[in-house]
Amino acid sequence: MGAPLTTRGHAPKQDRSRATRQRLLESAVTCLAEHGWTGSTVTVVAEHAGVTRGAAQHHFPTREDLFTAAVEYVAEERSAALRNLPKPATTRAAVEAIVDLYTGPLFRAALHLWVAASNEPQLAPRVTALEARIGRETHRMAVRLLGADENVPGVRETVQGLLDMARGLGLANLLTDDGARRERVVAQWARIVDTALHA
């Protein structure tokens, strides 16, 4: 006996709907990273995702709905990237892994969201809350990667300084390929962190 008529065919339609929504979110992030807030209209995102504007608006009725969902998507992707980092063998490798989090497309998209949130009241509260959460997760992840004991005086501040430095290198990387200078700065910070952790 076949499936009831009311449920037959629903799973593929739901799967297609989920896949369309996922493509829209990924495209919103890519468009933000490449074109910024001003250049990332619903039409631009829909074209990038390969769907009609109508399909995009079915999932996200307004631009703010689309990019608010993109904020959540970016936050979850960045959280997943943090959770999935393996424990590095050396302090230098840990510092490099942390810096790498701030030089990819997710950080670039997040930066555009920060800028947009400073001018868009609909985005600001959500971006602020998510960035606070990501900040806490990033700090916890850095402590884990470094094997740091924050009960030791100065260690917490060293870890936070490392994260601030990594964010600064990520910002510098937006304008030019800062690889050579970044390598020297990472090497120096690895020495600073080693000293703080093993003093």
Side-chain angles (χ1 to χ4, degrees):
M1 188 170 155
L5 288 175
T6 54
T7 60
R8 186 179 292 153
H10 281 202
K13 185 175 180 181
Q14 288 174 346
D15 289 345
R16 284 196 305 275
S17 180
R18 275 194 294 271
T20 298
R21 188 176 194 281
Q22 180 72 15
R23 280 203 314 275
L24 284 164
L25 291 174
E26 290 171 355
S27 291
V29 172
T30 300
C31 290
L32 269 176
E34 293 178 357
H35 309 297
W37 174 256
T38 306
S40 298
T41 63
V42 173
T43 300
V44 167
V45 172
E47 285 175 3
H48 187 276
V51 304
T52 64
R53 180 183 166 87
Q57 288 183 309
H58 169 74
H59 288 277
F60 306 103
T62 69
R63 184 181 187 213
E64 286 72 26
D65 291 336
L66 172 60
F67 285 100
T68 295
V71 170
E72 293 171 346
Y73 175 73
V74 167
E76 185 47 46
E77 289 295 296
R78 287 171 68 201
S79 294
L82 299 177
R83 289 191 298 268
N84 294 330
L85 281 174
K87 179 90 166 70
T90 65
T91 301
R92 170 74 181 260
V95 171
E96 286 173 349
I98 291 164
V99 169
D100 285 348
L101 291 172
Y102 292 93
T103 55
L106 286 176
F107 175 71
R108 184 182 289 263
L111 181 62
H112 284 294
L113 285 170
W114 298 344
V115 173
S118 70
N119 298 310
E120 299 290 331
Q122 303 94 323
L123 289 176
R126 178 102 22 130
V127 172
T128 301
L130 287 170
E131 280 305 315
R133 190 187 89 201
I134 291 293
R136 289 190 298 271
E137 287 188 24
T138 304
H139 191 96
R140 280 196 300 271
M141 175 276 306
V143 168
R144 179 181 62 81
L145 289 179
L146 294 165
D149 179 359
E150 291 195 298
N151 292 316
V152 175
V155 168
R156 180 174 179 76
E157 291 76 15
T158 301
V159 172
Q160 193 56 55
L162 169 61
L163 294 172
D164 291 341
M165 178 278 300
R167 189 179 300 112
L169 289 178
L171 289 170
N173 197 57
L174 291 174
L175 298 175
T176 59
D177 179 2
D178 207 31
R181 186 174 75 90
R182 187 164 66 245
E183 196 170 316
R184 293 192 302 273
V185 172
V186 165
Q188 177 61 21
W189 262 93
R191 288 190 286 270
I192 292 169
V193 171
D194 247 340
T195 300
L197 295 185
H198 304 111

